[in-house]
Amino acid sequence: MQGKIIKGIAGFYYVHVVESGVYECKAKGVFRKEKIKPLVGDNVEIEVLDEAEKTGNIVEILTRKNELIRPAVANIDQALVVFAVTEPQPHFNLLDRFLVMMESKEIPVVLCFNKKDIATQPELAKLEEIYRACGYRVIFTSALKQENVECIGSVLAGKTTAIAGPSGVGKSSLINLLQSEVQMETGSISKKIARGKHTTRHSELITIDENSYIMDTPGFSSLYVNDFEKGELKYYFREFALYEGKCRFNGCDHVHEPGCAVKEALEEGKIHPVRYEDYLEMYRELQEKKRY
Ligand SMILES: Nc1nc2c(ncn2[C@@H]2O[C@H](COP(=O)(O)OP(=O)(O)O)[C@@H](O)[C@H]2O)c(=O)[nH]1
Ligand SMILES: [Mg+2]
Ligand SMILES: [Zn+2]
């Protein structure tokens, strides 16, 4: 029987099998010998030990499409990156780092800007201008007024989606509207701390319907771009692709080289300065890293 690992706790893996439910499984010794650790999101073959008790063994891990380290998860089809249009205002550098990380893993991204109910027209227009121009799908929602939430629902259909974004932007509120299986706690962080709720969480997939899953990933404020060379960074800024090969120098990194087509596009307003500045900052970080 085949299923998907939706949760792993203390050596047990919870495997969701469409139409027959969730089985509590152990991974057989063979994986430990081969040093393969099953991950949330893995598609696995299980043998059922007890149908009534819903227990089994994982006997095979099917080939992974991709895997992320933090959060540890396999086979993500896409990421839904959620920020608020305002309150809190979008932290562009963080957003661009996340986009770079997903581009480097070839994971498609859909951008959701929530709290459109309290946004002004210029705020919405700015976000649209920056990110739609890069070729990202951008959806504006209000979890509070339940606006455009069905649009998010259709993005999630039939896929496994990592939902990421800083805290306070409305991720949990959106997730609560999208399914009825789990009710996530919403509200301000200070309220949660005051109530003594611990914030460390394990990765867990929430089933939306029989073949759609979402994962609420913890805030990614400590996100560094570090697992590639500085010369690769330019490929993870989608809007640069149009100018690739048009610079005076072969292998131009679009930083201080003369005759750079990307910098010309920047000056002509075809590339947004917010994006270019974030590119430079990440580029310099990668450069620094090399020196040590
Ligand atoms: N005005 C407005 N407030 C929202 C919206 N969505 C969530 N909130 C509020 O923002 C706060 C944080 O929401 P929460 O879902 O916990 O955010 P999370 O930390 O990203 O999971 C809560 O006080 C919510 O009531 C929205 O669309 N509009
Ligand atoms: Mg939350
Ligand atoms: Zn260039």
Side-chain angles (χ1 to χ4, degrees), residues 114-118 141-145 166-174 185-188 191-192 216:
N114 189 41
K115 306 200 186 184
K116 85 193 215 13
D117 54 290
I118 50 169
T141 57
S142 168
L144 189 75
K145 297 270 159 73
S167 63
V169 300
K171 295 184 300 300
S172 298
S173 305
L174 285 168
E185 211 196 340
T186 62
S188 68
K191 267 189 230 153
K192 284 174 207 168
D216 184 19

Side-chain angles (χ1 to χ4, degrees), residues 36-251:
I36 304 171
K37 203 177 167 319
L39 291 176
V40 168
D42 266 329
N43 296 313
V44 293
E45 178 74 37
I46 65 168
E47 67 184 17
V48 174
L49 292 176
D50 188 322
E51 184 53 55
E53 299 267 299
K54 286 269 191 274
T55 56
N57 276 329
I58 296 174
V59 293
E60 193 188 342
I61 299 173
L62 306 188
T63 310
R64 284 174 188 156
K65 176 173 158 178
N66 54 40
E67 83 185 70
L68 298 180
I69 300 163
R70 243 182 320 163
V73 63
N75 300 319
I76 288 295
D77 293 313
Q78 60 182 359
L80 180 73
V81 179
V82 185
F83 276 71
V85 184
T86 185
E87 290 182 36
Q89 281 189 359
H91 186 319
F92 290 110
N93 196 272
L94 200 58
L95 173 46
D96 287 334
R97 270 165 208 275
F98 197 76
L99 295 178
V100 162
M101 193 175 96
M102 290 301 142
E103 292 288 342
S104 74
K105 304 253 179 226
E106 295 178 50
I107 297 173
V109 173
V110 174
L111 266 169
C112 169
F113 290 107
N114 189 41
K115 306 200 186 184
K116 85 193 215 13
D117 54 290
I118 50 169
T120 63
Q121 198 50 45
E123 283 170 329
L124 295 168
K126 181 181 180 190
L127 294 170
E128 189 156 5
E129 184 199 330
I130 302 178
Y131 291 100
R132 231 166 240 166
C134 304
Y136 288 105
R137 174 142 187 226
V138 179
I139 302 171
F140 294 101
T141 57
S142 168
L144 189 75
K145 297 270 159 73
Q146 304 199 12
E147 284 169 6
N148 266 358
V149 178
E150 72 292 343
C151 207
I152 301 293
S154 66
V155 164
L156 304 180
K159 297 196 164 135
T160 298
T161 306
I163 299 191
S167 63
V169 300
K171 295 184 300 300
S172 298
S173 305
L174 285 168
I175 290 169
N176 287 345
L177 293 171
L178 291 162
Q179 47 82 44
S180 50
E181 192 189 327
V182 185
Q183 280 304 295
M184 317 227 25
E185 211 196 340
T186 62
S188 68
I189 307 165
S190 53
K191 267 189 230 153
K192 284 174 207 168
I193 291 167
R195 267 178 275 151
K197 299 272 178 198
H198 63 102
T199 45
T200 41
R201 280 174 297 166
H202 48 265
S203 310
E204 178 174 351
L205 291 178
I206 301 168
T207 314
I208 297 199
D209 60 40
E210 49 179 57
N211 49 17
S212 314
Y213 301 88
I214 50 173
M215 191 171 100
D216 184 19
T217 60
F220 49 89
S221 53
S222 60
L223 196 71
Y224 295 101
V225 285
N226 55 9
D227 55 356
F228 48 81
E229 297 296 313
K230 66 179 193 306
E232 248 177 87
L233 183 64
K234 61 188 172 197
Y235 301 117
Y236 307 140
F237 279 71
R238 291 182 155 203
E239 68 274 39
F240 292 5
L242 204 58
Y243 310 100
E244 211 44 64
K246 292 188 176 154
C247 304
R248 189 181 306 162
F249 296 107
N250 271 340

